[in-house]
Amino acid sequence: MKNLYSEDAFTGLEAAIVLIAFVVVAAVFSYVVLGAGFFTSQTAQATVHTGVQQASSSMELVGNVYGISPASGSANLTSLNITVALTAGGTGMDLAQMVVSYRDNNGGYNASVDYGACSDAIAGGGATLTWCIGERLYSSGGVSNDVLDPNEQMILIVGMPKTATPNTKVTVNFQPAIGAVLPVTRTVPGSINVVQAIY
């Protein structure tokens, strides 16, 4: 009996199916590879933007750090006055979002410092420490807010615990929401005056 179907036709059809399958698999594979590449480049771009933002948002210390006490010969400092400004080319930062912590070597006192009223910060020595923005210098347009802008300076008042006694090494860390930590380490002088620069 004679075969009515040609084997050549089946070979061509099989080749076409295999070719289509290869094209579909290659298309899916290339889609996955391109998608992964786009995701990786977007992640790298986000990392670069975050790095630039972190590097351009930093504070620096301006001038001396002043220790304040209620009277000469007091047993401890009650507050520190610290003047800060943005580094050159820095972008404005909201200081109300900043985390402030205090540490000393006198009994290992270590605590966070809450943003609050200046009267509480100046009094110091409470169960919870408080810091505030005492004065805004060179404020642009007379705007009074918590944002530290370029060319502006702010005097921060940080309440001290009763452990800030003479010859105690104290460290106050200012951690903005975005940017590098500004550590301020000073030693309380052996004799405490009402106002004194501490080094």
Side-chain angles (χ1 to χ4, degrees):
M1 182 165 155
K2 187 176 178 186
N3 189 357
L4 299 176
Y5 300 102
S6 169
E7 292 293 326
D8 294 336
F10 273 114
T11 304
L13 183 61
E14 289 171 352
I17 290 172
V18 169
L19 180 64
I20 291 171
F22 277 133
V23 169
V24 169
V25 169
V28 170
F29 181 71
S30 64
Y31 175 76
V32 169
V33 169
L34 287 175
F38 288 140
F39 175 75
T40 303
S41 66
Q42 287 173 347
T43 304
Q45 184 180 13
T47 304
V48 168
H49 285 300
T50 303
V52 168
Q53 191 175 24
Q54 290 279 356
S56 66
S57 299
S58 296
M59 291 188 310
E60 64 181 351
L61 193 62
V62 179
N64 290 326
V65 174
Y66 291 95
I68 310 296
S69 68
S72 293
S74 293
N76 62 291
L77 292 179
T78 54
S79 63
L80 291 178
N81 285 10
I82 301 169
T83 305
V84 296
L86 292 175
T87 55
T91 56
M93 68 173 60
D94 186 1
L95 296 189
Q97 304 297 320
M98 186 166 57
V99 175
V100 179
S101 61
Y102 170 88
R103 184 178 72 243
D104 67 31
N105 65 347
N106 190 4
Y109 191 93
N110 191 351
S112 62
V113 185
D114 298 329
Y115 182 64
C118 283
S119 58
D120 294 336
I122 292 170
T128 58
L129 301 180
T130 306
W131 74 275
C132 71
I133 299 171
E135 191 173 347
R136 294 159 179 83
L137 306 172
Y138 315 114
S139 178
S140 56
V143 177
S144 179
N145 57 26
D146 296 336
V147 177
L148 180 60
D149 292 316
N151 303 318
E152 184 178 22
Q153 295 178 5
M154 289 189 180
I155 299 175
L156 308 180
I157 300 173
V158 181
M160 304 287 281
K162 293 182 178 178
T163 58
T165 55
N167 301 315
T168 300
K169 186 176 182 180
V170 300
T171 300
V172 179
N173 287 323
F174 298 98
Q175 172 63 65
I178 297 174
V181 176
L182 173 64
V184 178
T185 302
R186 297 290 187 269
T187 301
V188 179
S191 175
I192 295 179
N193 298 317
V194 176
V195 177
Q196 65 261 305
I198 61 173
Y199 303 97

